Amino acid sequence: MAVVISFSTLRTGSRSQGDLVSVSMPGIPVTQLRTSGGTRMLYLAWDIDGTLLLTNRAGYDALQEAICDYFFRKEPYEFKHTLAGCTDSSIIKEIVTDIKGHCTSGWAASLMLKYEMYLKSNLKAHKGYLMPNVEKTLQYLSENEPEITNLLLTGNTANGARDKVAEYGIARYFDFRHSSYGDLAEERDEVAKILYTRLLADGLVKAGETDSIIIIGDTPNDTRCAAAIGARCVIVLAGSEFKKEDFNDCPPWKMWDKLPDDPADFVREISET
């Protein structure tokens, strides 16, 4: 049986098309978004690590500290593969299973909480940075494109995702309510399906309508989860561990070396049908 750690599940109610929705999270203001009353809406589902920002290994070191603390280890844990594109749920389950022989929800949840605790201090200590053109693109969208809503589709936990975008000053640009996180499902395909379901539940998309969702990421798992829900995918390579040929098995809709220098060009590119 899969072990899935969920620290916050947001239930949404139905809402009529064309309404103005005010979305906020405790301590983090979020701009308003408008449903698609006569206007074609676009929902940009951004990955965090490698796409929006790089933390300079803050997450990796936080996880190592959490493992040593929780399991009373002195030696660093050796991962068997890259963590890029993986969900925190799957990473935690793999660690616990490797160390303990099997994984229980209690062990997984406890290790996850330890990780989130250490992440806060590591984010401040590691001095990461936003990827090129991220902040000005998000600001431009916020100020000039009311029909475009920025979401997060990430392998991070909900708490970890909020901590990361808050630390780098871009939290205000995202609708956290309709975003989807790596503590809701182990597989990234399922994380994408949860995001779609959240939009559907609030009447922001229609059943079977996924062409208004664009997933922006940097790993093959981003292209695969987009394909799983029939959404388009833009791959941005600036912070990626992967090369263009790594996407041959599941090609994205678009692939860029970095976000366009002019945010207006970004809007033109994603507005193509």
Side-chain angles (χ1 to χ4, degrees):
M1 179 179 294
V3 177
V4 178
I5 312 94
S6 177
F7 295 109
S8 58
T9 300
L10 301 176
R11 296 188 179 275
T12 58
S14 61
R15 186 174 286 115
S16 61
Q17 298 287 327
D19 289 346
L20 188 67
V21 183
S22 180
V23 180
S24 64
M25 293 296 290
I28 302 178
V30 182
T31 55
Q32 291 180 322
L33 60 119
R34 188 176 299 277
T35 61
S36 51
T39 303
R40 173 178 167 79
M41 302 296 294
L42 284 178
Y43 299 95
L44 306 184
W46 297 80
D47 171 57
I48 295 179
D49 298 283
T51 302
L52 290 172
L53 54 88
L54 288 173
T55 67
N56 195 22
R57 294 173 64 87
Y60 180 87
D61 286 355
L63 189 54
Q64 290 287 5
E65 288 185 55
I67 295 167
C68 289
D69 185 354
Y70 186 63
F71 293 111
F72 304 101
R73 291 169 61 98
K74 294 183 179 180
E75 298 298 324
Y77 180 81
E78 292 187 12
F79 291 96
K80 300 174 178 61
H81 55 79
T82 179
L83 303 184
C86 298
T87 66
D88 284 352
S89 288
S90 68
I91 294 168
I92 292 293
K93 180 182 178 182
E94 180 179 327
I95 294 166
V96 175
T97 302
D98 189 31
I99 293 174
K100 301 288 287 185
H102 66 286
C103 184
T104 68
S105 58
W107 291 340
S110 296
L111 181 58
M112 187 78 82
L113 288 169
K114 287 280 189 182
Y115 161 70
E116 290 180 336
M117 178 183 72
Y118 284 113
L119 180 62
K120 288 179 179 291
S121 58
N122 275 277
L123 284 172
K124 295 185 179 301
H126 279 65
K127 309 299 182 185
Y129 51 91
L130 294 173
M131 300 310 301
N133 301 325
V134 161
E135 187 164 17
K136 70 177 180 179
T137 297
L138 294 174
Q139 181 177 356
Y140 179 89
L141 295 176
S142 176
E143 295 175 353
N144 299 283
E145 303 292 340
E147 74 281 5
I148 297 177
T149 298
N150 291 302
L151 310 172
L152 295 171
L153 198 168
T154 173
N156 287 275
T157 66
N159 289 334
R162 287 194 296 269
D163 287 343
K164 286 182 179 181
V165 295
E167 178 66 26
Y168 294 96
I170 56 174
R172 65 188 180 276
Y173 299 117
F174 294 97
D175 164 16
F176 293 99
R177 174 184 173 90
H178 298 98
S179 296
S180 191
Y181 310 97
D183 53 353
L184 298 174
E186 290 176 23
E187 298 299 326
R188 207 174 185 95
D189 289 6
E190 296 301 317
V191 178
K193 292 174 184 177
I194 292 169
L195 180 140
Y196 165 70
T197 301
R198 287 182 161 180
L199 292 172
L200 180 65
D202 268 7
L204 301 179
V205 297
K206 297 177 182 178
E209 175 191 295
T210 56
D211 62 336
S212 61
I213 301 171
I214 299 175
I215 294 173
I216 305 175
D218 67 295
T219 76
N221 279 347
D222 294 302
T223 62
R224 295 187 190 104
C225 77
I229 62 170
R232 291 173 288 173
C233 182
V234 175
I235 290 296
V236 185
L237 295 172
S240 179
E241 295 182 10
F242 298 90
K243 300 178 181 179
K244 291 181 179 180
E245 54 266 28
D246 294 324
F247 296 88
N248 289 342
D249 290 342
C250 191
W253 176 51
K254 293 179 182 289
M255 186 181 295
W256 301 332
D257 290 329
K258 65 175 183 176
L259 291 179
D261 293 329
D262 186 346
D265 290 338
F266 172 86
V267 173
R268 281 191 288 271
E269 287 278 344
I270 65 169
S271 298
E272 294 178 358
T273 56

